[in-house]
Amino acid sequence: MIALHNSELLQAAVSLLYPATCSICGKHVRAGEYLCSGCEAKIVRIVAPFCQTCSEPFKGSISSAFTCANCAHRTIYFEAAVAAYRGRGVVREIIHQFKYARQIHLRHLVARWVRAALDDERLRDCHFNIIVPVPLHPARQRERGFNQASLLAELLSAQTSIPSKPLLERIRYTTTQTALDRSERMENLHNAFRLRKNADVRGLRVLLIDDVLTTGSTLSECARVLKRGGAISIHAAIAARA
Ligand SMILES: [Zn+2]
Ligand SMILES: [Zn+2]
């Protein structure tokens, strides 16, 4: 956390000397902004029709609420995973800078995208008791220096006054999921998470937070653990859907 504060102080000092610039193209932007209007305009919002469970958008004119075939054919332990944006282009680039290039100040921009998901009607009236970040394995967290989901959860907690607690831990170091298909992902994730010692989730409505939603397997596995621990409902707000 000290490293984080130092980098923020440095950022503040730098912004006094240099005007703010777009994180993508380098054009000047207003202080406190991360993207120019041109790059901002390239961000792709998810619009209906989309799956009520996993937010996967579909082409066409389906007017009633529906669940996609992928969600219908597997057991999903969360009620809904909501993303307001596609994780492509500008969004993907910003999330990469944030996660892998240690551009930690970009968490404010990424948190705005998570916040947009909270305005969705599937989440708006849920009265969550607790915000829980999707955990990283300790080895991966050491390597990265932080858990991006925890940083986002802390910002969301400050904005919504819902407490954020790291109630889950990741106990299996799973290989990267990208090369795996859906069933292999589920297999790979089985028993990857558990409740932290002394975590009591009985009777809670939980909001899970993560940066990117791909198949929803990670979220479902977290939700399974939380439900087994007695949580009433599990929803998820994510910055972007891959
Ligand atoms: Zn730009
Ligand atoms: Zn779905």
Side-chain angles (χ1 to χ4, degrees):
M1 273 317 182
I2 287 173
L4 188 71
H5 285 148
N6 282 342
S7 84
E8 294 233 314
L9 281 174
L10 187 64
Q11 193 76 32
V14 167
S15 69
L16 288 176
L17 297 171
Y18 303 98
T21 55
C22 174
S23 307
I24 298 290
C25 72
K27 266 193 202 137
H28 290 182
V29 294
R30 278 185 297 124
E33 288 305 321
Y34 303 90
L35 294 173
C36 71
S37 51
C39 290
E40 182 90 45
K42 288 183 195 150
I43 290 178
V44 182
R45 183 102 197 184
I46 294 176
V47 292
F50 49 76
C51 171
Q52 288 296 300
T53 306
C54 74
S55 300
E56 170 90 36
F58 284 84
K59 288 197 169 63
S61 54
I62 314 158
S63 53
S64 55
F66 71 99
T67 299
C68 76
N70 283 327
C71 289
H73 294 140
R74 58 183 175 154
T75 308
I76 289 183
Y77 293 92
F78 56 76
E79 320 330 296
V82 180
Y85 297 98
R86 277 335 295 257
R88 296 173 177 166
V90 167
V91 170
R92 187 184 150 91
E93 171 61 26
I94 291 291
I95 291 174
H96 273 240
Q97 287 187 31
F98 167 45
K99 262 163 85 167
Y100 304 119
R102 302 186 59 93
Q103 298 297 305
I104 291 170
H105 66 285
L106 289 175
R107 72 187 188 281
H108 296 286
L109 176 56
V110 180
R112 281 185 206 165
W113 299 335
V114 182
R115 191 74 205 266
L118 288 185
D119 288 333
D120 185 279
E121 60 183 10
R122 288 167 289 167
L123 302 185
R124 214 184 289 146
D125 304 316
C126 283
H127 305 291
F128 298 111
N129 306 112
I130 189 109
I131 292 174
V132 177
V134 170
L136 286 180
H137 188 275
R140 180 149 302 160
Q141 184 157 340
R142 269 197 303 278
E143 177 193 318
R144 189 169 297 167
F146 59 94
N147 174 4
Q148 71 279 2
S150 299
L151 297 184
L152 296 172
E154 281 163 22
L155 288 176
L156 263 287
S157 173
Q159 291 165 8
T160 58
S161 303
I162 304 165
S164 168
K165 282 189 195 148
L167 297 181
L168 292 169
E169 62 186 344
R170 191 158 190 150
I171 48 174
R172 275 184 51 206
Y173 191 94
T174 49
T175 48
T176 176
Q177 296 268 93
T178 8
L180 306 178
D181 73 17
R182 211 168 284 270
S183 62
E184 288 169 335
R185 280 176 192 236
M186 288 309 282
E187 183 59 33
N188 193 35
L189 284 167
H190 194 69
N191 294 328
F193 301 96
R194 73 173 176 213
L195 280 177
R196 276 182 189 273
K197 209 172 163 218
N198 300 326
D200 184 359
V201 297
R202 283 173 296 174
L204 297 183
R205 293 182 174 81
V206 178
L207 178 65
L208 280 170
I209 299 288
D210 209 355
D211 55 338
V212 178
L213 164 62
T214 307
T215 63
S217 306
T218 299
L219 292 170
S220 186
E221 194 55 24
C222 289
R224 189 175 69 83
V225 171
L226 290 162
K227 283 231 166 112
R228 201 178 48 198
I232 297 176
S233 65
I234 322 294
H235 293 74
I238 303 99
R241 198 188 198 300

